[in-house]
C-alpha cells in the first residue's frame, strides 16, 4: 500500500499543473497581393517565430488572396509569403497574448522576379504524440529518457501499452494478442523471443512507435489487438555521411551498446549500412507461493529464484538502391542479427504440510541458454508509371537458426536439511525455420480517389527437435517420454484491394477487403500426431473521417482480424524451470478472430479521444496455468477460450504550461471480460483497468533540455491471473553540442524503484501468487555524433514480404 501511495503521489505531482491554466490560443489573418494591388491566390503563407524564424504553421491563400491561421500559441511571430515567380515578403513582428488573441496583419505585397527562389529550410520538432486517421504515433527519437536503453523499455512507455516481463505478455489498451512490427515487418516469433530481442535492441535505434488498433486491408490480417510498429532510425541525409552512438549504463550490473550508420549516394546508386552491438547483465528475482490440495492433503510450496541474465546482440542492415531511370528503382537489402541470451541462478523451493511444518526442500541450479541467428535477403522493384500510378514488388527469403535449452542440477533435502538425492537433467532444442515470400502492390489514382490492390504468397517450414536427457553415471540418457520432434509447414496466399476517396470537402472514406487462404500442417513426429488445417477467410475494413468544423475531426473504423498460433505454442514440448515448474506447447490450438469497432475524436489537431469495442472468438490465452496436483507440479500452456469482450477509452491531452514547459498526458481505460468453459468449470471473469502516461518536456537555456515522465498501470486481469498495479517515474537531461552535430544525454529510469510485477491465481484447484523484480532502476549516459555531408537524401523506405511471418518464426525457439 505504501508503494502504491508513493506512486500515485508522484504521478499527481507530475500532473498538478495539467489544468493549472489554459494556454492562450489566437488567430492570425491577412491578405497577400501583387505589387499592382491585385489579390494573389494560392500563395504559401508561413507563420514564423520572430526570434529565430522557425516555422510554427503554414497556410495557403484563397482565391481572393486571403489567409487565416488558427490555434496560434502565445508568442511573438512574423508572416512570410512566397510563390514561384515572386520575391519573398515578410511582415513586421507581432504578438499573440491574452490581451490580443486576434491579429489582422497588414496586406503584404509581392513583387515579380525572374530569379529562382532559394530553398526554404524549416527546422521543427514533431509532437511527442500524433493522432492520425488510423493510428497513434509516438515520436520517441528526441526523448531524453529513452537514450541508451533498450527498445523494450521504450515500448513500455508508449501510451496504452502494458508489458508483463514476468510472463512475457504484451497488451495494447488492455488487450492481448497485439502483433509487433519492426519497420513494417511483422515479427513472427513467440512473445518470449520477442521480449528477448527487444531487450537486446538499443533504444537509440528507435525513431517512433506507431499504435495501429484497426489496421487497413493492406496489412496482413494477423493481430486481434492491432499492430505496434517500431520504426527504426534511417539515415535521412544525403551524400557520404553517417552517425555513431555510444552508451553506457548501470543498475546493479553494466549495460553497454553502440551503433554506427553510413550512407553514400551518387546520381545512380544509394548504398547504406548500419551495425549495432549490445551487451548487458541484469538481475531478476522471482517468488512463487503455491497451495496445492490433493485428496485430503494440502501442500504449501514457497519458491525463490534469483537469476542473472546476460543478453547480447549484434544486428545489421545493409542495402543498395540502383536508380535505373527517374521512374524505376531496383534494390537489394540484407538484414539480420546474432542474438544470445543466457540466464542462470539457483531456485530454492520449501515444502510445508497443512500445519505449515517444513517437510523438505530442493534447490535447482538452472542455466538457461538461447541462441538465435537470423538472415534475411530481399530483392525489390519500384516503378512509377506517372500520374500517381505506382507498382512495387518484393521477394524475400529468411532463415532462422536457433538452439535453446536448460541445464538443471537439483539437490533434494529432508526437513533436517540432509541431502537425500540428486538429479541432473537437461533439455535442448535445435531448430531451423525457413520463410520464402513474395508480394506485389499497385496504386492507381482515380478521378475521385485512389485504388490499391495487391497479392502475397508465403511458405514456412519449421523443424524443432526437443530432446530431454537425464545424466546417469555421467552418461546422458534420452528420455523419450519428454522428448519430441515437431515439424510445421504453412502456406498463406492472400489478395487485397483498398479504395479511398473524398465523399465531399469534409469527409474521407477508405474501404478495404483482404482474403486469405491458409493451409497448415503440424506433425509431432515422436507422438505420430498430425494436425492438418485448411481454411479461407475474408477480412473487411472501413475507415471514415469527417471534418466537423475547423477544430473538430471524427474518425470511425471497423476491421476484422485473425491471430494464428505461433510456432512455439504449437510445439508440444516441455520447457522446465525446475522439476515442478515448466511450460508446455499445444498442437491443437486454433486461430482466433477479432471484430473491432473504434471512434476517435480529434480537437484542434492535438486533443484526441478514442472509444473502442472488440469481440474476440477462440481467444488464444497465452501462459495460462494448470497443475498436476498428485505430483505437486504447476505448468503454463496456451489454450483457446470461447471469447473475450473488450471495451476501451483513450484520451490524449497535450498541455503547454509555458514557452519552455510542455506536457503530454495519455489515459487509457478498459474493461475486459473472458467467458468460456475451462478447466472443468464455467469461466466468467471481468475487470476494469487503466493506464496513465505523463511526460514533461523542458527547454532550458544554452542548448539544454530535460524530461520528466512516468506511467501507472492499474490492477488488471490476464485471463485467469489477477495482476497488481505497477509503474515508474523517470527523468533525463540532454545537451546539444557542436552546432547540433552531437548530443549528450543522461537519464535515470524508475527513480523510486517502483516497477515490479505481482499477481495471483485462484481458480478451481489453482491457488498461487507470484512476485517478480528486475533492474528497473538504471542510470545511463549516451553520446551521439553525426558526421559527413548532411544534405544527402535518405535511402527509400520499403517493407519486405516476410514482415508478417518473422514474429512467428522465432517461436520455434
Amino acid at each position: 500500500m505504501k508503494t502504491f501511495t508513493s506512486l500515485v503521489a508522484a504521478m499527481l505531482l507530475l500532473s498538478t499543473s495539467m489544468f493549472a491554466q489554459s494556454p492562450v490560443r489566437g488567430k492570425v489573418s491577412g491578405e497577400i497581393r501583387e505589387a499592382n494591388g491585385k489579390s494573389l491566390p494560392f500563395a504559401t503563407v508561413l507563420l514564423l517565430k520572430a526570434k529565430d524564424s522557425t516555422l510554427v504553421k503554414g497556410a495557403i491563400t484563397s482565391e481572393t488572396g486571403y489567409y487565416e491561421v488558427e490555434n496560434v500559441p502565445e508568442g511573438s511571430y512574423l508572416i512570410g509569403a512566397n510563390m514561384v515567380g515572386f520575391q519573398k515578403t515578410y511582415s513586421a513582428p507581432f504578438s499573440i497574448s491574452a490581451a490580443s488573441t486576434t491579429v489582422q496583419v497588414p496586406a503584404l505585397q509581392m513583387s515579380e522576379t525572374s530569379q529562382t527562389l532559394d530553398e526554404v529550410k524549416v527546422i521543427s520538432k514533431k509532437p511527442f504524440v500524433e493522432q492520425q486517421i488510423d493510428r497513434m504515433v509516438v515520436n520517441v527519437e528526441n526523448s531524453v529518457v529513452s537514450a541508451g536503453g533498450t527498445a523494450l523499455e521504450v515500448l513500455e512507455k508508449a501510451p496504452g501499452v502494458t508489458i508483463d516481463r514476468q510472463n512475457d505478455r504484451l497488451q495494447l489498451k488492455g488487450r492481448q494478442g497485439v502483433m509487433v512490427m519492426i519497420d513494417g515487418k511483422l515479427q513472427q516469433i513467440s512473445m518470449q523471443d520477442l521480449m528477448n530481442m527487444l531487450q537486446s535492441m538499443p533504444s537509440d535505434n528507435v525513431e517512433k512507435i506507431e499504435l495501429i488498433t484497426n489496421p487497413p486491408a493492406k496489412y496482413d490480417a494477423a493481430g486481434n489487438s492491432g499492430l505496434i510498429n517500431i520504426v527504426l532510425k534511417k539515415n535521412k541525409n544525403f551524400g557520404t555521411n553517417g552517425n555513431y552512438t555510444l552508451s553506457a549504463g548501470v543498475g546493479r550490473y553494466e549495460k553497454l551498446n553502440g551503433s554506427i550508420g553510413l550512407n553514400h549516394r551518387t546520381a545512380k546508386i544509394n548504398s547504406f549500412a548500419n551495425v549495432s552491438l549490445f551487451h548487458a547483465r541484469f538481475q531478476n528475482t522471482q517468488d512463487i507461493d503455491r497451495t496445492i490440495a490433493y485428496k485430503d492433503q494440502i501442500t504449501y510450496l514457497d519458491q525463490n529464484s534469483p537469476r542473472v541474465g546476460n543478453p547480447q546482440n549484434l544486428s545489421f542492415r545493409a542495402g543498395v538502391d540502383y536508380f535505373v531511370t527517374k521512374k524505376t528503382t531496383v534494390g537489394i537489402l540484407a538484414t539480420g542479427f546474432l542474438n544470445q541470451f543466457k540466464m542462470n541462478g539457483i531456485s530454492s523451493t520449501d515444502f510445508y504440510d497443512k500445519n505449515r511444518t517444513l517437510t523438505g526442500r530442493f534447490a535447482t541450479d538452472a542455466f538457461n541458454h538461447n541462441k538465435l541467428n537470423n538472415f534475411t535477403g530481399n530483392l525489390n522493384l519500384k516503378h512509377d508509371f506517372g500520374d500517381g500510378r505506382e507498382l512495387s514488388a518484393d521477394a524475400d527469403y529468411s532463415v532462422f537458426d536457433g538452439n535453446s535449452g536448460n541445464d538443471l542440477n537439483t539437490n533434494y533435502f529432508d526437513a533436517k536439511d540432509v541431502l537425500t538425492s540428486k538429479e541432473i537433467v537437461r533439455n535442448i532444442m535445435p531448430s531451423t525455420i525457413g520463410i520464402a515470400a513474395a508480394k506485389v502492390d499497385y496504386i492507381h489514382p482515380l478521378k475521385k480517389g485512389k485504388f490499391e490492390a495487391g497479392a502475397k504468397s508465403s511458405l514456412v517450414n519449421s523443424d524443432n527437435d526437443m530432446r530431454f536427457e537425464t545424466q546417469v553415471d555421467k552418461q546422458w540418457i534420452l528420455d523419450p517420454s519428454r522428448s519430441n520432434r515437431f515439424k510445421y509447414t504453412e502456406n498463406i496466399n492472400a489478395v487485397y484491394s483498398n479504395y479511398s476517396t473524398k465523399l465531399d470537402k469534409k469527409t474521407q472514406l477508405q474501404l478495404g477487403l483482404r482474403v486469405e487462404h491458409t493451409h497448415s500442417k503440424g506433425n509431432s513426429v515422436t507422438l505420430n500426431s498430425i494436425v492438418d488445417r485448411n481454411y479461407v477467410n475474408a477480412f473487411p475494413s472501413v475507415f471514415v473521417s469527417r471534418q466537423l468544423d475547423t477544430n473538430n475531426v471524427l474518425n470511425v473504423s471497423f476491421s476484422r482480424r485473425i491471430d494464428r498460433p505461433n510456432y512455439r505454442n504449437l510445439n508440444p514440448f516441455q520447457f522446465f524451470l525446475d522439476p515442478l515448474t515448466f511450460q508446455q506447447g499445444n498442437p491443437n490450438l486454433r486461430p482466433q478472430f477479432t471484430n473491432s469497432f473504434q471512434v476517435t475524436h480529434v480537437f484542434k489537431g492535438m486533443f484526441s479521444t478514442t472509444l473502442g469495442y472488440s469481440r474476440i472468438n477462440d481467444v488464444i490465452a497465452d501462459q495460462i496455468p494448470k497443475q498436476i496436483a498428485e505430483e505437486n507440479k504447476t505448468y503454463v500452456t496456451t489454450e483457446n477460450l470461447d471469447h473475450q469482450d473488450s471495451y476501451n477509452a483513450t484520451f490524449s491531452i497535450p498541455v503547454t504550461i509555458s514557452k519552455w514547459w510542455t506536457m503530454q498526458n495519455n489515459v487509457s481505460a478498459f474493461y475486459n471480460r473472458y467467458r468460456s468453459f475451462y478447466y472443468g468449470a464455467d469461466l466468467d471473469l471481468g475487470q476494469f483497468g487503466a493506464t496513465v502516461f505523463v511526460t514533461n518536456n523542458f527547454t532550458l537555456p544554452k542548448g539544454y533540455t530535460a524530461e520528466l515522465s512516468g506511467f501507472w498501470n492499474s490492477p488488471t486481469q490476464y485471463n485467469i491471473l489477477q495482476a497488481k498495479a505497477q509503474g515508474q517515474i523517470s527523468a533525463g537531461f540532454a545537451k546539444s553540442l557542436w552546432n547540433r552535430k552531437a548530443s549528450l544525454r543522461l537519464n535515470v529510469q524508475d527513480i523510486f524503484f517502483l516497477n515490479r510485477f505481482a499477481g495471483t491465481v485462484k481458480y478451481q484447484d489453482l491457488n498461487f501468487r507470484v512476485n517478480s523484480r528486475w533492474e528497473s532502476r538504471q542510470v545511463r549516459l549516451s553520446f551521439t555524433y553525426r558526421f559527413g555531408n548532411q544534405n544527402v537524401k535518405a535511402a527509400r523506405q520499403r517493407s519486405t514480404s516476410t514482415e508478417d511471418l518473422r514474429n512467428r518464426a522465432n517461436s520455434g525457439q
Side-chain angles (χ1 to χ4, degrees), residues 20-38:
Q21 65 184 71
S22 298
V24 174
R25 298 284 174 175
K27 182 172 73 173
V28 178
S29 61
E31 290 182 89
I32 306 297
R33 301 174 182 171
E34 297 184 40
N36 59 11
K38 183 180 178 181

Side-chain angles (χ1 to χ4, degrees), residues 250-456:
V250 63
R252 179 165 182 172
Y253 297 101
E254 77 283 355
K255 297 93 174 53
L256 304 169
N257 65 269
S259 66
I260 183 169
L262 295 170
N263 190 76
H264 176 72
R265 180 165 182 141
T266 64
K268 282 287 187 179
I269 294 178
N270 186 73
S271 56
F272 51 93
N274 180 274
V275 177
S276 296
L277 294 169
F278 181 87
H279 162 84
R281 288 193 297 163
F282 66 91
Q283 185 178 45
N284 171 251
T285 301
Q286 179 177 305
D287 296 311
I288 303 176
D289 296 334
R290 287 177 271 192
T291 302
I292 299 180
Y294 180 66
K295 295 183 177 180
D296 59 345
Q297 297 180 349
I298 296 180
T299 303
Y300 299 97
L301 293 83
D302 293 344
Q303 179 182 5
N304 176 257
S305 303
R307 299 176 294 175
V308 176
N310 177 209
Q312 298 183 63
N313 173 271
L314 183 152
S315 58
F316 63 89
R317 180 178 185 269
V320 176
D321 288 332
Y322 176 63
F323 308 102
V324 182
T325 67
K326 291 183 178 180
K327 295 186 176 182
T328 304
T329 304
V330 295
I332 59 173
L333 177 67
T335 63
F337 59 79
L338 306 177
N339 201 29
Q340 178 174 281
F341 184 84
K342 298 178 181 178
M343 179 173 281
N344 63 282
I346 297 179
S347 175
S348 178
T349 302
D350 296 333
F351 292 80
Y352 299 87
D353 62 19
K354 60 182 179 181
N355 298 316
R356 287 285 185 178
T357 300
L358 180 69
T359 60
R361 73 177 182 90
F362 70 80
T364 299
D365 188 351
F367 173 59
N368 312 115
H369 49 91
N370 185 310
K371 288 185 178 180
L372 183 65
N373 300 332
N374 166 251
F375 175 80
T376 299
N378 165 260
L379 295 174
N380 53 85
L381 165 71
K382 181 179 179 181
H383 180 72
D384 184 357
F385 293 97
D387 300 323
R389 295 174 297 142
E390 182 179 289
L391 176 72
S392 60
D394 285 87
D396 289 27
Y397 183 74
S398 185
V399 60
F400 291 82
D401 182 18
N403 197 330
S404 62
N406 287 344
D407 297 332
L408 306 176
N409 188 341
T410 304
N411 293 324
Y412 295 88
F413 303 86
D414 62 17
K416 296 181 180 180
D417 210 29
V418 176
L419 179 66
T420 59
S421 63
K422 293 184 178 181
E423 182 184 46
I424 301 176
V425 300
R426 71 182 183 186
N427 57 353
I428 54 177
M429 188 173 71
S431 67
T432 57
I433 302 172
I435 304 173
K439 69 171 185 174
V440 60
D441 299 286
Y442 177 68
I443 301 175
H444 189 97
L446 302 173
K447 187 175 181 179
K448 292 185 178 181
K450 181 174 66 173
F451 175 76
E452 298 177 76
K456 179 179 176 181

